[in-house]
Amino acid sequence: MTVANSSSKIIYADNAATTKPDAEALALMFELQEKFFANPSSAYKLSRPLKKILQESREKIAACINAKPQEIFFTSGGTESDNWAIKSSVLASLPERPNIITSAVEHKAILNSCAAMKNLGCTVTKLPVDKFGAVNPDDLREKILPQTKIISVMLANNEVGTIQPVKALAAVAHEHGKIFHTDAVQAVGHIPVDVANLGVDMLSASAHKFNGPKGVGFLYVRTGLNFAPYIDGGGQEFSKRGGTENVPAIAAMALALEKNCREMNVTAKKISACANTLLENLRGKNVDFILNGGANRLPGHLSLSFKDCEGETLLHRLDLKNICVSTGSACNSRQVQKSHVLQALTVPEDYINGTIRITFGKENSLSDAENIAENLTDILLSL
Ligand code: PLP
């Protein structure tokens, strides 16, 4: 995507950090914000359209992931959904302190929720991954304990794009009667997600990762699963999540998700072509790099490690060329620690620090990919 800046053009290739909100979704959000300001919970007729929009948004989102509308609970985004899934399972077990199983490559929203539960006396088991970042269902089978309450493994990794065998992992969890949650923040709206087919009990998603607005997301919870509220308050969201709903943002999220799902195949083809073009251009110039994450990755998602250099330097030098990429995940971008994901993949020591993430989105073009490859090659040569 090329965006107009005050003085120059910017190539935005950091779509795993966030995506540009869809113009129609934004227009809908602003229109609703202005015209329908009533509280959706109020009893007068001014609130009726808001109740209807809320219900229609729930239905649209449910249809996109093959869920039932009453299984969709609106939240403030991926972090809240992840916290809710992990912490509610512990709340439901009190006074016992259960075991939680997760993977070594989860987002901090899961890892730090688990760490907080560990401080309360729970035990946390982290499953290893192979060199591509995938969890082996047999490893999960071995690690399940009688006191395990919930297993949480992400659907697609935010740093390297690896798609996990979630269907097989959920099946192992259910063989042992355990709850299975997946953080699908990077997957929803980008690859087909069917909760019934995957067999997951809970799933987290975030609107700003699929061209919706920031600060809104949802948690899918399978009908019949006994789960506790995390945000206590009024009776909103079937009395499971208090707080006046942000109806304009929720409606915009539903519209953005519907659009992304409708255009999914076309977008995937387009951004895969961008990623392939970039790789071919680097290879054509004999650039030495490691492509992390294996073949089963999110479309348009590249994590590249270059020998004996700093990802931070590459990022800032590309930024000077008006190209936006990231090192590791955006949430880590101010930290200089080695990424826990790249470490879990055992990326070689002389390459790990020189890692950047380039993630194409639906507004990128092949010429963006060529431009990034050319600038990156020049920067690497100059270092
Ligand atoms: N989970 C994953 C895999 C993510 O990539 C992110 C955001 O980067 C989150 C959770 C957090 O989502 P949000 O930014 O909506 O809180």
Side-chain angles (χ1 to χ4, degrees):
M1 177 188 60
T2 311
V3 279
N5 193 359
S6 50
S7 55
S8 51
K9 298 270 186 193
I10 291 181
I11 295 176
Y12 183 77
D14 196 17
N15 287 275
T18 197
T19 51
K20 187 183 175 198
D22 176 80
E24 246 186 284
L26 268 192
L28 175 69
M29 185 168 84
F30 292 137
E31 190 194 339
L32 294 180
Q33 200 84 52
E34 200 181 3
K35 288 194 189 150
F36 298 98
F37 60 87
N39 189 316
S41 298
S42 299
Y44 33 75
K45 62 176 179 294
L46 197 62
S47 290
R48 259 176 242 150
L50 287 133
K51 288 191 182 72
K52 190 162 174 272
I53 293 165
L54 210 49
Q55 177 56 17
E56 284 170 357
S57 302
R58 219 183 289 282
E59 286 165 10
K60 283 181 190 169
I61 288 171
C64 289
I65 61 164
N66 194 22
K68 300 184 191 85
Q70 66 274 21
E71 295 174 323
I72 304 298
F73 295 84
F74 297 124
T75 66
S76 64
T79 300
E80 184 190 324
S81 299
D82 284 348
N83 271 262
W84 191 358
I86 298 294
K87 294 178 180 176
S88 73
S89 63
V90 172
L91 281 174
S93 309
L94 290 175
E96 278 162 36
R97 302 290 196 271
N99 167 256
I100 304 166
I101 300 183
T102 188
S103 87
V105 295
E106 298 298 309
H107 188 272
K108 291 283 159 110
I110 289 290
L111 292 179
N112 287 342
S113 293
C114 290
M117 296 300 94
K118 201 171 171 185
N119 286 340
L120 288 184
C122 296
T123 56
V124 177
T125 308
K126 279 189 202 164
L127 299 169
V129 292
D130 65 17
K131 64 176 179 171
F132 301 122
V135 172
N136 184 336
D138 290 334
D139 285 341
L140 171 60
R141 191 175 282 109
E142 267 175 32
K143 292 284 183 340
I144 295 179
L145 300 169
Q147 65 271 32
T148 301
K149 177 77 183 184
I150 183 167
I151 296 153
S152 179
V153 178
M154 68 204 322
L155 187 46
N157 184 268
N158 48 301
E159 290 193 39
V160 294
T162 305
I163 298 171
Q164 297 288 356
V166 160
K167 185 174 177 166
L169 293 166
V172 172
H174 292 153
E175 276 166 26
H176 294 79
K178 308 300 181 190
I179 299 170
F180 190 89
H181 164 258
T182 190
D183 174 345
V185 165
Q186 291 290 340
V188 169
H190 300 285
I191 55 172
V193 174
D194 177 328
V195 288
N197 180 259
L198 289 172
V200 296
D201 299 304
M202 291 196 263
L203 174 145
S204 303
S206 175
H208 76 99
K209 305 289 186 177
F210 52 77
N211 305 93
K214 291 169 186 60
V216 63
F218 65 90
L219 180 69
Y220 154 82
V221 184
R222 179 180 56 73
T223 302
L225 188 83
N226 182 19
F227 76 113
Y230 171 57
I231 306 259
D232 294 305
Q236 293 92 351
E237 296 303 292
F238 315 109
S239 297
K240 292 290 191 189
R241 198 267 188 188
T244 303
E245 302 89 342
N246 186 349
V247 180
I250 289 168
M253 165 166 71
L255 178 63
L257 183 57
E258 263 193 331
K259 258 181 117 166
N260 268 27
C261 288
R262 208 167 39 238
E263 297 164 1
M264 191 178 280
N265 291 341
V266 176
T267 307
K269 250 191 204 156
K270 183 179 169 188
I271 62 178
S272 297
C274 289
N276 289 337
T277 298
L278 197 150
L279 293 176
E280 278 160 21
N281 276 265
L282 292 182
R283 287 183 184 127
K285 289 173 177 148
N286 292 322
V287 176
D288 171 37
F289 66 89
I290 296 173
L291 168 61
N292 302 307
N296 193 20
R297 293 191 329 273
L298 288 170
H301 193 121
L302 296 174
S303 165
L304 306 177
S305 298
F306 302 93
K307 199 175 177 187
D308 296 331
C309 62
E310 294 292 327
E312 286 286 310
T313 308
L314 297 178
L315 183 153
H316 293 302
R317 295 281 295 270
L318 285 168
D319 193 25
L320 290 175
K321 304 278 184 186
N322 294 323
I323 295 169
C324 302
V325 301
S326 70
T327 59
S329 71
C331 323
N332 285 339
S333 65
R334 268 169 284 137
Q335 298 174 359
V336 279
Q337 293 155 311
K338 284 187 186 121
S339 138
H340 65 285
V341 174
L342 300 174
Q343 284 182 304
L345 268 70
T346 63
V347 174
E349 276 300 308
D350 43 353
Y351 282 83
I352 196 165
N353 288 333
T355 304
I356 55 168
R357 181 185 69 180
I358 302 167
T359 46
F360 292 104
K362 58 182 170 184
E363 299 198 28
N364 285 118
S365 62
L366 291 182
S367 75
D368 289 347
E370 283 160 3
N371 191 324
I372 297 172
E374 194 178 325
N375 278 291
L376 192 50
T377 310
D378 289 349
I379 292 166
L380 287 163
L381 280 174
S382 73
L383 289 177

